[in-house]
Amino acid sequence: MVVKVSKPEINVREKISELDKPSGTAGQAMLAAETPQEQFNLISAGRRNLLINGAMKIDQRNGGSSITNTDNNLFPLDRWFINLSTEYNSSVSSGQNLDSLAPPPGFDKYIGVKIDSGTAAPAAPFLSIRQIIEGNNITHLDYGKSTAKDITISFWARTNHPGTYAVAVRGGTTQTACVTEFSVDSADTWQYISVIIPGQKDTTTTWPLDYVGEGLVVNIGLGSFQGTYSSSTLDQWVTGSFTGSATQTQDFAQTTGNTFYVTGVQLEVGKVATPFEHRSYGEELAECQRYYQKFPGALQIPGYQDGTSGINASLKLSPNMRAATPSTDTDGSVYIWRHNGFQSQNNPAIIVGTSTINGSSLTLSVNGWSGCVNGYVANLYISNLEIINEL
Amino acid sequence: MSYSINEYTSVIFDNTVTSIRCSVTGLTIPMDAQNADYQRVLDDIIEQGAECFEGDIPQDLLDAAEAKRLSNV
């Protein structure tokens, strides 16, 4: 018996040409991945940005107003501060949406830095936009191990002073840093920047785990780094506290009116800069409040009288703050109401009791009162209280 | 780090230094090594010595500043 089988015609040439159909770089990388974990990393699924307030939306301290950087390490925005040499004090201003420019697509806020008074470069100058990532949040980078992961830092930048600038990262507790350069090509135009920092695989360095202190210090360097803070070695981890490159633009801070604007800053695992991870405003605010909380207006806290001159009160924090004792500040008077009347002090020290801190609440003590009766109740009124627990 | 002469004072309660007061920033700074402002006080003591402090620098603070200077971190 003969069985006839028919098959549809196949155009062999067509099929072969389909094999050559380009899959793109991303597709090829995905096909080349050997494990699902590698594919997961390639597309950077899940939460990605290790930086907080990368879109520059949160400004609890200044409410969107710019500040003059009269001192080092002042915060124009939550989590972001300006690290600058003494010589640049009061010659730099910074703030949210400084100069009211149109932000890049997808953003409505940015951080701006402006040179108000050009200053000749001192011997070892530094000027950078900085955020410090808590040690707890970088443990998955595996730094100090052979399995250390590469990271990518991306952001939008704009300046009137095109040239070569630098991104530098260094360990908070280790004297090791990696500096890489980037170029801003055109003046007064937003430009997307992306740099890769290799994993820190030096097994002789120790990176603390479960650490509420400085984990990774991230700098966007605005020039003038000749001296002890500049690295001549790029794209490698080297010993030192470097915050910039020896070959980057050196004269940014020397000319009055120079400006640098940044937004959409993202630091993520891997060698690919993925689109910026926009988090909700509430979520981003809560992240910032781990390090800084402000209570605008008069905060009333019930407490008790301690001895003849002290008032103690307990303040519940929400969200929990970093588990270290915070600094405090108030910009005005502190009042007490108690059984025997009212009293006030102008800007007294507000002491945080170190024995009670656990991140969720803290005990505040204000001393220097008269006529207190030990154990009696008292209400404490503090205007514009700031609880500061930055890194 | 810049500083002013007599920028810092000890806040004393019950004969104990409970914190440090900064006259420039208005901050009350705890004696906690994990506090960034406290670390800046140490840096100022290392760089400027007694001049940045009003009165005697508490021994705990001097010891911490010396330890930080030696560790060079």
Side-chain angles (χ1 to χ4, degrees), chain A residues 109-283:
Chain A
K109 299 288 189 295
Y110 59 86
I111 185 174
V113 176
K114 175 180 269 184
I115 305 302
D116 295 326
S117 175
T119 306
F126 47 89
L127 173 61
S128 63
I129 302 169
R130 175 180 289 188
Q131 181 172 142
I132 302 176
I133 302 174
E134 185 177 328
N136 274 319
N137 295 340
I138 64 162
T139 49
H140 63 298
L141 298 182
D142 269 357
Y143 278 8
K145 301 175 184 174
S146 61
T147 51
K149 298 180 176 70
D150 300 328
I151 56 173
T152 296
I153 300 173
S154 57
F155 54 93
W156 287 90
R158 171 176 172 153
T159 177
N160 69 317
H161 192 68
T164 302
Y165 293 86
V167 169
V169 296
R170 72 167 170 81
T173 58
T174 60
Q175 288 289 311
T176 176
C178 182
V179 179
T180 188
E181 292 182 339
F182 65 92
S183 174
V184 178
D185 302 324
S186 304
D188 302 320
T189 304
W190 286 105
Q191 182 177 328
Y192 186 68
I193 306 292
S194 169
V195 298
I196 297 170
I197 304 287
Q200 206 278 15
K201 298 182 178 179
D202 180 357
T203 54
T204 64
T205 60
T206 301
W207 294 71
L209 304 174
D210 298 329
Y211 183 57
V212 299
E214 294 184 1
L216 199 62
V217 182
V218 181
N219 290 281
I220 298 175
L222 305 186
S224 304
F225 285 93
Q226 68 273 31
T228 54
Y229 299 105
S230 65
S231 175
S232 300
T233 304
L234 299 178
D235 304 313
Q236 293 177 43
W237 286 87
V238 291
T239 300
S241 298
F242 302 121
T243 57
S245 149
T247 50
Q248 73 175 100
T249 297
Q250 302 290 353
D251 60 353
F252 177 82
Q254 295 177 26
T255 305
T256 300
N258 274 353
T259 52
F260 204 99
Y261 312 99
V262 171
T263 194
V265 192
Q266 180 153 286
L267 187 156
E268 60 194 307
V269 174
K271 290 183 174 180
V272 179
T274 64
F276 183 79
E277 178 190 359
H278 288 279
R279 297 192 279 247
S280 73
Y281 186 88
E283 193 176 359

Side-chain angles (χ1 to χ4, degrees), chain A residues 11-33:
Chain A
N11 184 331
V12 176
R13 288 181 188 277
E14 191 175 282
K15 288 295 179 189
I16 290 175
S17 71
E18 283 179 6
L19 292 176
D20 292 334
K21 185 178 179 181
S23 57
T25 307
Q28 287 173 8
M30 191 62 80
L31 290 171

